[in-house]
Amino acid sequence: MASSTEENYLKILFNLTHEKGEVNISELSSQLGVSMPTVNSMIKNLQKSDLVHYEKYKPVTLSEKGKKTAALIVRKHRLTEMFLVNKMGFGWEEVHQIAEQVEHIHAPKFFERMDEMLGFPTVDPHGSPIPDKHGRMQELHYKNLSQVKPGNQVILVALADSSSDFLEFLNSRKLKLGMELKILSKETYDQSMIVSYENQQSETLSEKVCEKLLVRSVE
Amino acid sequence: MASSTEENYLKILFNLTHEKGEVNISELSSQLGVSMPTVNSMIKNLQKSDLVHYEKYKPVTLSEKGKKTAALIVRKHRLTEMFLVNKMGFGWEEVHQIAEQVEHIHAPKFFERMDEMLGFPTVDPHGSPIPDKHGRMQELHYKNLSQVKPGNQVILVALADSSSDFLEFLNSRKLKLGMELKILSKETYDQSMIVSYENQQSETLSEKVCEKLLVRSVE
DNA sequence: AATATTTGTTAGATAGATCTAACTTTGTAC
DNA sequence: GTACAAAGTTAGATCTATCTAACAAATATT
Ligand SMILES: [Mn+2]
Ligand SMILES: [Mn+2]
Ligand SMILES: [Mn+2]
Ligand SMILES: [Mn+2]
C-alpha cells in the first residue's frame, strides 16, 4: 500500500497531468515543496511499484495503475470537501486543508457512507468532478468567463483556482456556483468585465479573476 | 508537533495508566506491536520533549504536558467514534479502526464541529468518557456486573472491553448501553449469571462477560 | 542463596523521506 | 555552434522509526 507521501505525489501528478498535460521534476518539486533530488528518488520508487512510467530526463507519466490509485485519492479528497460543506457547515474556503489529511484515511466504508449521505455527488464544492469508485473521472471542459462575449448570459459552474485567497475574494463579491451571470461590458484596455448577477448587484471583475471562473451557457 | 507515532504512544500510555496504574516497557511493546528496544528509544525521545518522566528500569509516567496532549488525542478518537455512530450510521463495533486514523488529523474546527453536531456528548459509544477541550477527563468508576448480587437491578452504562469481537457478542445478545438488567441468579460453580433485560429475553452470561459489563444501580 | 525467567538496555543495521553540494544533460540565445 | 541557463541526476549525509543480537538488571522459583 502506498504511503501518505507517495499518495501525495500521485495526486499532484494526476492533477498536473489534467492541468498542463506534461509533468516534469521541477514542477513536482515546487508543487510539493521538496527539492528536485527528493522528487527524483521518489519517482524511481514509484516506478518500482509500477505506478509511473519514467525515463531519465523525460517527463513523468502515470501508469494505468497509478492513474487509478491517484483518482481514488482525489475521489476521497473531493467527497470529503463536499461532506464538510454540505453536512458539517464549513465554508468552501475552509475545507481543502482538512481534506488534504482525510484523503489518506484507509476506510472504504467511511467514504461510501459520505457518498450515500451526499446523494452520490458528481462534483465537489469548487465544481471539480469527483471520480467514481472505479477511478473514472469525466473530463469537464468549461469555458473561461474571460472568453465570453458581452451581452451573453452564463452559469458559473466551476473554478480554475480553489485557493482560499480566491475563494474569500469570491465570498466578498457574493459569487457562488450555480449563479447566472450576464456580461454587461468588457474593457478593451485591461480585459476587465462588468458582470451583473441575478438582477442584483453588478461587479467589475479583472481579467485575472475572469480566467479562473468557469462557466457554461444558459441553454 | 508530535508525529502520529508519538501520538499513538502517548494515547496508549494514557489508557494503560487509567486501566492499570503503572506502565512498563513490555506492556507498551505488546500493546503497540513493536519490539522493546523500539519502545525504549521512543520513550527517551518523548522524554526529550518533556512528554514523559522516565528513569532506567522504572515504569514510565506521563508528564502534565504529556497527559494533556494524550487526553486531547483520546478526545478526538472518542468524538469521532460518536460521530460515526450517531451521525453516519455505523455500528459500535465498526468505528474503532476508523477513529484510530481520524484521531491524528490536525484540524481543531473539524472536531469542534463534530462536538457541536453531537450536542457536546460526555461519553463515547462504548460508555468511555470524552475528555473536554482542555484535556480534563472525569474518572468514572462503575461496578462490574459480576459484583452485583442476584435480585438487584442495574443499568448497563459502559464496557471494560471495546474489541469488535466483544461488541459483536453483545450485538448477538441484543445488549445495548442504557438497558435495565435484572440479575435473576448466579451459578456458584462458574460465577455465570442469568440476567433478564427489559422484561423480554433472559440470557446466561459467563463470568468473563460479566466482568466486562460496567453498570450502575437503578436509583 | 543460587538459579532461572522476565524485563529492560545497548549497539548496530535497515528502510523511507528528506536535504545540500557537485556534476551532467538539455534547451536557449546570441 | 559555442556559451549560458535551466532542469535533472548522483553521491553522500541526516532524521525517524523500526528491527535483531547480545548483554544486564530485576524478579521469581526452588
Ligand atoms: Mn481541495
Ligand atoms: Mn494529502
Ligand atoms: Mn476506540
Ligand atoms: Mn492511532
Side-chain angles (χ1 to χ4, degrees), chain B residues 77 81 96 99-100 124 126 162:
Chain B
H77 183 104
E81 291 190 341
H96 181 79
E100 202 60 45
D124 82 3
H126 316 107
S162 305

Side-chain angles (χ1 to χ4, degrees), chain B residues 100-112:
Chain B
E100 202 60 45
Q101 300 175 68
V102 175
E103 70 191 1
H104 302 293
I105 287 175
H106 294 287
K109 281 197 72 171
F110 181 50
F111 296 99
E112 275 166 32

Side-chain angles (χ1 to χ4, degrees), chain B residues 24 26 36 40 44 54 56:
Chain B
N24 53 30
S26 78
M36 289 206 295
N40 186 271
K44 287 177 179 169
Y54 180 58
K56 263 196 189 180

Side-chain angles (χ1 to χ4, degrees), chain A residues 8 11 100 103-104:
Chain A
N8 282 335
K11 199 187 50 164
E100 202 59 44
E103 70 191 1
H104 303 294

Side-chain angles (χ1 to χ4, degrees), chain A residues 101, chain B residues 1-8 10 42 45-46 49 51 65 69 72-73 76 103-108:
Chain A
Q101 299 175 69
Chain B
M1 200 166 301
S3 67
S4 291
T5 309
E6 291 171 318
E7 290 188 346
N8 283 334
L10 291 176
M42 179 56 86
N45 202 67
L46 294 171
S49 318
L51 292 161
K65 182 179 167 195
T69 308
L72 293 176
I73 300 158
K76 291 194 280 182
E103 70 191 1
H104 302 293
I105 287 175
H106 294 287

